Amino acid sequence: MLPKKKEHPKEKSELHPRSRHRGRYNFMQLIASCPELKPFVRLNEYNDASVDFFDPKAVKTLNKALLAHFYGIKHWDIPQHYLTPPIPGRADYIHYAADLLAASNQGKIPTGNKVKCLDVGVGASCIYPVIGNKEYGWAFIGADIDPVSVKSSQSIVSSNPSMKGNVELRLQPDPKHIFKGIIKQNEHIDLTICNPPFHSSLAEAQAGTMRKLKNLQQKKTAKLTLNFGGQNTELWCEGGEARFVENVVKESRQFATSCFWFTTLISKAANLKSVLYNLKKAGAKTIETIPMGQGNKISRIVAWTFLDEEQQKLWRESRWVESKH
């Protein structure tokens, strides 16, 4: 006998109002967009269509289908064991970043490829440039310290005509730097985005995965399965999220007039206090904390700018105001 069918809300109200992912997955539509998904779709214990979220291939193919259906990306793949990003959360970051730009532009979101974004740690999936370019037409620089990630993202860009000319991939030559070696002299960036490595060691990353799987299964998991994948540089770095963001803040000061808004995701609430302290110490003129929620997880974006009101006005007029001629 099947368990009583779950009543699901029709809309995921915690997601951004402009998110394409607020509704429940329509697997018939997703399979129509990506036939590869069909073998992975099955009825779960509640007689609902679903995929096995413990199967890395199923998770990756679901992502492929979501990108094809919602964003018109027909060719998307990542190397084995690289991070498969949860797309609704990544889309939310882009939408909240658009709101941030709008707040600096009399309520109007600046769109088109004159708006240039820098994705710090683009990864193998190229996910932020895919979503940002589709939703708002923005141009992107995708930076990463891993040559395999850069090559994979470049392949995604080259295989999808809509992205060609709108996304440039750059390899960070020095892993100790964030912006140095990536932002060129006299280059202007409207927005930086960053999803920092979460953990401070491989052991911590593995323990975190075990906890996540245990919560999903509601029982002890003996075997470690990275259902969303992830290489070392994607999951952890020395000092974890706190140290990484501290370095982002320090180095952003050197590029104070090269960029309008710097932003980063902060997953651990305990890190927020030190991030805000470091930003004030660095001399940021405006600091914003933007809450985000996906399911049971609460995170936030921290955004800052070193530009004063006059500099912001000049930036808007030179880059975001459409020509009247």
Side-chain angles (χ1 to χ4, degrees), residues 38-54:
K38 191 173 183 179
F40 297 101
V41 177
R42 55 172 179 73
L43 293 178
N44 64 16
E45 59 181 317
Y46 300 102
N47 213 25
D48 289 322
S50 187
V51 299
D52 181 1
F53 285 95
F54 299 99

Side-chain angles (χ1 to χ4, degrees), residues 200-302:
S200 59
S201 69
L202 177 60
E204 188 187 308
Q206 290 178 335
T209 300
M210 293 292 274
R211 277 196 304 275
K212 183 176 77 171
L213 292 175
K214 188 179 174 183
N215 289 339
L216 280 171
Q217 287 186 324
Q218 296 299 310
K219 61 184 179 182
K220 203 162 186 177
T221 307
K223 187 184 173 191
L224 180 69
T225 306
L226 284 171
N227 54 340
F228 285 88
Q231 293 295 294
N232 287 353
T233 54
E234 295 176 303
L235 298 175
W236 69 274
C237 67
E238 193 176 336
E241 180 180 79
R243 179 87 56 84
F244 190 92
V245 175
E246 185 181 348
N247 292 336
V248 171
V249 170
K250 277 182 186 172
E251 208 166 295
S252 70
R253 188 73 191 89
Q254 299 170 39
F255 293 86
T257 57
S258 301
C259 177
F260 194 118
W261 280 109
F262 295 92
T263 75
T264 184
L265 200 66
I266 301 292
S267 292
K268 295 184 178 180
N271 291 334
L272 188 59
K273 191 176 177 182
S274 65
V275 171
L276 298 178
Y277 172 80
N278 287 329
L279 281 168
K280 285 170 186 167
K281 192 176 164 187
K285 292 280 194 294
T286 309
I287 303 166
E288 302 282 352
T289 303
I290 305 161
M292 292 202 323
Q294 288 94 43
N296 296 324
K297 189 184 175 195
I298 302 294
S299 62
R300 69 283 309 147
I301 299 165
V302 174

Side-chain angles (χ1 to χ4, degrees), residues 34 111 133 188 195 198 219:
C34 178
T111 58
N133 182 248
H188 289 91
N195 197 343
F198 187 73
K219 61 184 179 182

